[in-house]
Each structure stands twice: as C-alpha cells, then as structure tokens.
Amino acid sequence: MTKTTVIAAVDRFPEDDAVLLRGIEVAGRHQTTLRIVHVADVPDYAASAAVMGPRIARAKTSAQQRIDAALGRLGIAPDAVDVRLEVGDPADRLVALSQQMAPAVMVMRARHQPWIAQKLFGSVTERVIAAGVASVLVVKPEVTRPYGRVLAAVEGADTADAALSDAMAAVPGVDIEVVHAVAVEPRLEQAMLRVGSPLTEITAHLEALVQDAERRLALRAQAWSPGVTWRVLRGDPAQQLVHATRADGVDLIALGPHRSGMLTRIFSGSVIQQLIRDAACDVLIGPAPAPAPVQDNASRAEIVA
C-alpha cells in the first residue's frame, strides 16, 4: 500500500511555525512522515554555474539551519520529518511537486502581499491553490489545539459528497458539519427590485431556495456517516461562511470541488479569497474537480442506440 504524503511548504520562521505544527499534526493523523519543502528563489538564474553553484549551496545551507532550529524550538523530532530543499520559482516548484507526489494535503501559510503585487501576481499560496492539483491547507498564525470540528462548505447538494470526502481524506478523525449558504442571485434580486417587487416577495423566494436546499441535503445526508451533520445558511455565501467560522469550537473550514473555475474564484474577490483573509480558522481548499471524460464517437453512438 502506498503511503499518504503530507507536504509542509515553508519559507521563513517564526512566520511558518504554524505550518510545521499543523503539518506534523495532519501527518500524524495519516500515520506518515511530514515532507517539509523549502524553495529558494535565488536571483540571477542566468549567471554562470561558477557563480550560481556557491550561491545555491549557501541558500540551501541557510534554509536547512532555519528549519532545524524551528523543529528544535517546536519540539518536533527530526525523524518525524523529511526535508527537501529546492531552487526556482516557489509556486512553480510547489505545483510540480504536487503533481509528482500527489499529496493528501499541502500545508501553507496565508500570505498577504501589498495590493499592487497581489493584483498582478497573487501570492505563492494563491497560485498553488489556483493550479488545483492538490488540497491546500492554509493555516493562520496561531495553533491553539488540534483540529476537532470542521465545516465543509458546499455550493449545493450535488457537490456535498465530494466536499465531505475531500475533508475526511485530508484531515481524518474530525467531526464534520456540511454547510451550504443560499442567497438570491444578485442580478435576479436587482431585476425584481427594478420591476417593483416587494421585499416580501424576495424574502419568499429566498425561503423557497432554502427549503429546496434543505430537502436536497437531507436526501444526501442519508448516506453519510452518523456523526456528520448539516445546515443551510441564509445570505451572501462569503459573509455567512466567514461568520460561521467564528462559532465556538470551529477549527477549520473546508471547501471542496466547485462548479465554477478555480482560477476565476481565486483572483476576483471570491469566496475562497475572502475566507483566506477573514476566516477565524484555518481554510482547506480541495483540488479542482476532475474534467468529465470525453467520449469518442463510438461511445456516443452506443448511448444514442
């Protein structure tokens, strides 16, 4: 049986202390060694090998020393981890490693860059999430307790099974509550207001959407484990999910596969980006959903027949 891989992507300390602590926790849940990865973004790649060789060696030595010091300070045994030092563009290398290792989860820090750099390039964490090749666990600066209660946020009942499966696979042994935020589509609400629809009609439409969502989730929940609970939230998804993370006992919110494009969500003030910025707990983003298989003409002919 192939062992599960858990990667902790680190850059500097003590900023990445939480990445190591959460990484070792998740690796322990999977009963595997934590793979610590540091990518040194050494400038002047066009320089000669005689210049670059010593520069890269110094960068790797310095990174190894910082990692060893952090492990000792945090009380993490050296034999519980495997350190891998890389050179190159951090986001590109981390995406490539995710494709090679197929980790159950990659643990990273929430990084906030100045607005202009964020607008043009995005952070390393966001670029890895946008690639959609692995589940990414974005951790907040402080770790106060092990994961216990997890919210699995879904876009609808048809994505609930996948979101629940992703959360259980990434962080085993936790209590999970499936949450679905329902709101009247903004363009529809604006159209209703323009034609003079009373607020009571908009409210009635929202209640109809909520009842339909509750009915669909209740049907799905019949096949879930007894410990899994669910509820439907009323209002803007980003606001409602951020608010839900502030409840007592919530340690993590997980977002599984989504119907809309992951890249669009990340770089357009999306629900995911707002949660990374404002959630009161860590955020787990599942990989992009696998594309539907393309059927050849023969297969399509068989279906038609």
Short mmCIF file of all heavy atoms in Angstrom, two decimals, residues 70-100:
data_model
loop_
_atom_site.label_atom_id
_atom_site.label_comp_id
_atom_site.label_asym_id
_atom_site.label_seq_id
_atom_site.Cartn_x
_atom_site.Cartn_y
_atom_site.Cartn_z
N ALA A 70 13.88 25.62 13.89
CA ALA A 70 12.43 25.66 14.14
C ALA A 70 11.93 24.33 14.68
O ALA A 70 11.11 24.29 15.61
CB ALA A 70 11.69 26.04 12.86
N LEU A 71 12.40 23.22 14.13
CA LEU A 71 11.99 21.91 14.61
C LEU A 71 12.36 21.73 16.08
O LEU A 71 11.56 21.23 16.89
CB LEU A 71 12.62 20.81 13.76
CG LEU A 71 12.16 20.72 12.30
CD1 LEU A 71 12.99 19.68 11.55
CD2 LEU A 71 10.68 20.38 12.21
N GLY A 72 13.59 22.14 16.43
CA GLY A 72 14.03 22.02 17.81
C GLY A 72 13.21 22.90 18.74
O GLY A 72 12.82 22.47 19.84
N ARG A 73 12.92 24.11 18.30
CA ARG A 73 12.16 25.04 19.13
C ARG A 73 10.73 24.58 19.35
O ARG A 73 10.15 24.80 20.42
CB ARG A 73 12.19 26.43 18.46
CG ARG A 73 11.43 27.51 19.18
CD ARG A 73 11.83 28.90 18.67
NE ARG A 73 12.01 28.92 17.23
CZ ARG A 73 11.02 29.01 16.35
NH1 ARG A 73 9.77 29.05 16.77
NH2 ARG A 73 11.28 29.04 15.05
N LEU A 74 10.15 23.92 18.33
CA LEU A 74 8.76 23.47 18.41
C LEU A 74 8.63 22.05 18.98
O LEU A 74 7.52 21.54 19.13
CB LEU A 74 8.12 23.51 17.02
CG LEU A 74 8.03 24.92 16.39
CD1 LEU A 74 7.57 24.83 14.94
CD2 LEU A 74 7.09 25.81 17.20
N GLY A 75 9.76 21.40 19.25
CA GLY A 75 9.72 20.06 19.83
C GLY A 75 9.32 18.98 18.85
O GLY A 75 8.73 17.96 19.24
N ILE A 76 9.63 19.17 17.57
CA ILE A 76 9.30 18.17 16.54
C ILE A 76 10.55 17.31 16.31
O ILE A 76 11.62 17.82 15.99
CB ILE A 76 8.87 18.85 15.23
CG1 ILE A 76 7.60 19.68 15.47
CG2 ILE A 76 8.63 17.82 14.14
CD1 ILE A 76 7.17 20.51 14.27
N ALA A 77 10.40 16.00 16.46
CA ALA A 77 11.53 15.08 16.31
C ALA A 77 12.04 15.07 14.87
O ALA A 77 11.23 14.99 13.94
CB ALA A 77 11.13 13.68 16.74
N PRO A 78 13.35 15.13 14.65
CA PRO A 78 13.89 15.12 13.29
C PRO A 78 13.49 13.89 12.49
O PRO A 78 13.33 13.96 11.26
CB PRO A 78 15.41 15.16 13.51
CG PRO A 78 15.57 15.78 14.85
CD PRO A 78 14.40 15.32 15.66
N ASP A 79 13.30 12.72 13.16
CA ASP A 79 12.95 11.52 12.42
C ASP A 79 11.48 11.49 12.02
O ASP A 79 11.02 10.55 11.35
CB ASP A 79 13.31 10.26 13.22
CG ASP A 79 12.62 10.21 14.58
OD1 ASP A 79 11.85 11.14 14.91
OD2 ASP A 79 12.85 9.24 15.32
N ALA A 80 10.70 12.51 12.44
CA ALA A 80 9.29 12.59 12.04
C ALA A 80 9.10 13.37 10.75
O ALA A 80 7.98 13.47 10.24
CB ALA A 80 8.46 13.22 13.16
N VAL A 81 10.20 13.91 10.22
CA VAL A 81 10.11 14.75 9.03
C VAL A 81 11.16 14.35 8.00
O VAL A 81 12.14 13.69 8.33
CB VAL A 81 10.28 16.25 9.38
CG1 VAL A 81 9.25 16.69 10.41
CG2 VAL A 81 11.69 16.53 9.88
N ASP A 82 10.91 14.78 6.78
CA ASP A 82 11.87 14.61 5.68
C ASP A 82 11.97 15.97 4.99
O ASP A 82 10.97 16.47 4.48
CB ASP A 82 11.39 13.53 4.72
CG ASP A 82 12.27 13.44 3.48
OD1 ASP A 82 13.50 13.51 3.63
OD2 ASP A 82 11.73 13.32 2.36
N VAL A 83 13.16 16.58 4.99
CA VAL A 83 13.33 17.93 4.46
C VAL A 83 13.81 17.85 3.02
O VAL A 83 14.75 17.13 2.70
CB VAL A 83 14.33 18.74 5.31
CG1 VAL A 83 14.51 20.14 4.71
CG2 VAL A 83 13.85 18.83 6.75
N ARG A 84 13.15 18.64 2.16
CA ARG A 84 13.53 18.70 0.75
C ARG A 84 13.76 20.16 0.39
O ARG A 84 12.86 21.00 0.56
CB ARG A 84 12.44 18.09 -0.13
CG ARG A 84 12.75 18.14 -1.62
CD ARG A 84 11.85 17.19 -2.38
NE ARG A 84 12.12 17.20 -3.80
CZ ARG A 84 11.68 16.29 -4.66
NH1 ARG A 84 10.95 15.28 -4.22
NH2 ARG A 84 11.96 16.36 -5.94
N LEU A 85 14.95 20.48 -0.11
CA LEU A 85 15.31 21.84 -0.48
C LEU A 85 15.36 21.96 -1.99
O LEU A 85 16.01 21.17 -2.67
CB LEU A 85 16.67 22.22 0.13
CG LEU A 85 16.76 22.08 1.66
CD1 LEU A 85 18.18 22.37 2.13
CD2 LEU A 85 15.76 22.99 2.35
N GLU A 86 14.64 22.96 -2.53
CA GLU A 86 14.52 23.15 -3.97
C GLU A 86 14.96 24.57 -4.32
O GLU A 86 15.04 25.45 -3.47
CB GLU A 86 13.08 22.94 -4.41
CG GLU A 86 12.53 21.54 -4.16
CD GLU A 86 12.86 20.59 -5.29
OE1 GLU A 86 13.05 21.07 -6.43
OE2 GLU A 86 12.93 19.38 -5.03
N VAL A 87 15.22 24.78 -5.60
CA VAL A 87 15.58 26.11 -6.11
C VAL A 87 14.70 26.42 -7.31
O VAL A 87 14.48 25.55 -8.16
CB VAL A 87 17.07 26.18 -6.51
CG1 VAL A 87 17.39 27.54 -7.12
CG2 VAL A 87 17.96 25.91 -5.31
N GLY A 88 14.21 27.65 -7.38
CA GLY A 88 13.39 28.05 -8.52
C GLY A 88 12.25 28.95 -8.09
O GLY A 88 12.24 29.48 -6.97
N ASP A 89 11.29 29.13 -8.98
CA ASP A 89 10.11 29.90 -8.63
C ASP A 89 9.28 29.08 -7.63
O ASP A 89 8.89 27.95 -7.91
CB ASP A 89 9.26 30.18 -9.87
CG ASP A 89 8.01 30.93 -9.53
OD1 ASP A 89 8.06 32.16 -9.40
OD2 ASP A 89 6.95 30.28 -9.37
N PRO A 90 9.01 29.61 -6.42
CA PRO A 90 8.35 28.81 -5.38
C PRO A 90 7.02 28.20 -5.82
O PRO A 90 6.77 27.01 -5.61
CB PRO A 90 8.17 29.81 -4.24
CG PRO A 90 9.30 30.77 -4.41
CD PRO A 90 9.46 30.91 -5.89
N ALA A 91 6.16 29.01 -6.43
CA ALA A 91 4.85 28.48 -6.82
C ALA A 91 4.99 27.38 -7.88
O ALA A 91 4.35 26.33 -7.79
CB ALA A 91 3.96 29.61 -7.34
N ASP A 92 5.82 27.62 -8.88
CA ASP A 92 6.00 26.62 -9.94
C ASP A 92 6.55 25.30 -9.39
O ASP A 92 6.10 24.22 -9.75
CB ASP A 92 6.95 27.16 -11.02
CG ASP A 92 6.32 28.27 -11.84
OD1 ASP A 92 5.09 28.45 -11.75
OD2 ASP A 92 7.06 28.98 -12.55
N ARG A 93 7.54 25.40 -8.50
CA ARG A 93 8.13 24.18 -7.95
C ARG A 93 7.14 23.44 -7.06
O ARG A 93 7.09 22.20 -7.08
CB ARG A 93 9.39 24.52 -7.14
CG ARG A 93 10.57 24.96 -7.97
CD ARG A 93 10.96 23.92 -9.03
NE ARG A 93 11.20 22.61 -8.42
CZ ARG A 93 10.83 21.46 -8.98
NH1 ARG A 93 10.18 21.44 -10.15
NH2 ARG A 93 11.12 20.32 -8.39
N LEU A 94 6.36 24.16 -6.27
CA LEU A 94 5.40 23.51 -5.39
C LEU A 94 4.29 22.83 -6.20
O LEU A 94 3.84 21.73 -5.86
CB LEU A 94 4.80 24.51 -4.41
CG LEU A 94 5.76 25.04 -3.35
CD1 LEU A 94 5.12 26.16 -2.54
CD2 LEU A 94 6.23 23.92 -2.42
N VAL A 95 3.86 23.45 -7.27
CA VAL A 95 2.86 22.82 -8.15
C VAL A 95 3.44 21.56 -8.78
O VAL A 95 2.79 20.51 -8.83
CB VAL A 95 2.38 23.81 -9.23
CG1 VAL A 95 1.55 23.08 -10.28
CG2 VAL A 95 1.55 24.93 -8.60
N ALA A 96 4.69 21.65 -9.26
CA ALA A 96 5.33 20.48 -9.88
C ALA A 96 5.47 19.34 -8.87
O ALA A 96 5.23 18.17 -9.19
CB ALA A 96 6.70 20.87 -10.44
N LEU A 97 5.85 19.66 -7.63
CA LEU A 97 5.98 18.62 -6.61
C LEU A 97 4.63 18.00 -6.27
O LEU A 97 4.54 16.80 -6.01
CB LEU A 97 6.63 19.22 -5.35
CG LEU A 97 8.13 19.53 -5.44
CD1 LEU A 97 8.60 20.26 -4.19
CD2 LEU A 97 8.93 18.25 -5.64
N SER A 98 3.59 18.82 -6.26
CA SER A 98 2.24 18.29 -6.02
C SER A 98 1.84 17.30 -7.11
O SER A 98 1.24 16.27 -6.83
CB SER A 98 1.23 19.43 -5.95
OG SER A 98 1.44 20.23 -4.81
N GLN A 99 2.19 17.64 -8.34
CA GLN A 99 1.88 16.72 -9.44
C GLN A 99 2.67 15.42 -9.33
O GLN A 99 2.16 14.35 -9.65
CB GLN A 99 2.16 17.42 -10.77
CG GLN A 99 1.23 18.58 -11.06
CD GLN A 99 1.66 19.41 -12.25
OE1 GLN A 99 2.85 19.53 -12.54
NE2 GLN A 99 0.71 20.01 -12.95
N GLN A 100 3.91 15.51 -8.85
CA GLN A 100 4.75 14.31 -8.73
C GLN A 100 4.36 13.45 -7.53
O GLN A 100 4.27 12.23 -7.64
CB GLN A 100 6.22 14.73 -8.58
CG GLN A 100 6.81 15.41 -9.80
CD GLN A 100 8.16 16.05 -9.50
OE1 GLN A 100 8.78 15.79 -8.47
NE2 GLN A 100 8.63 16.91 -10.39
#
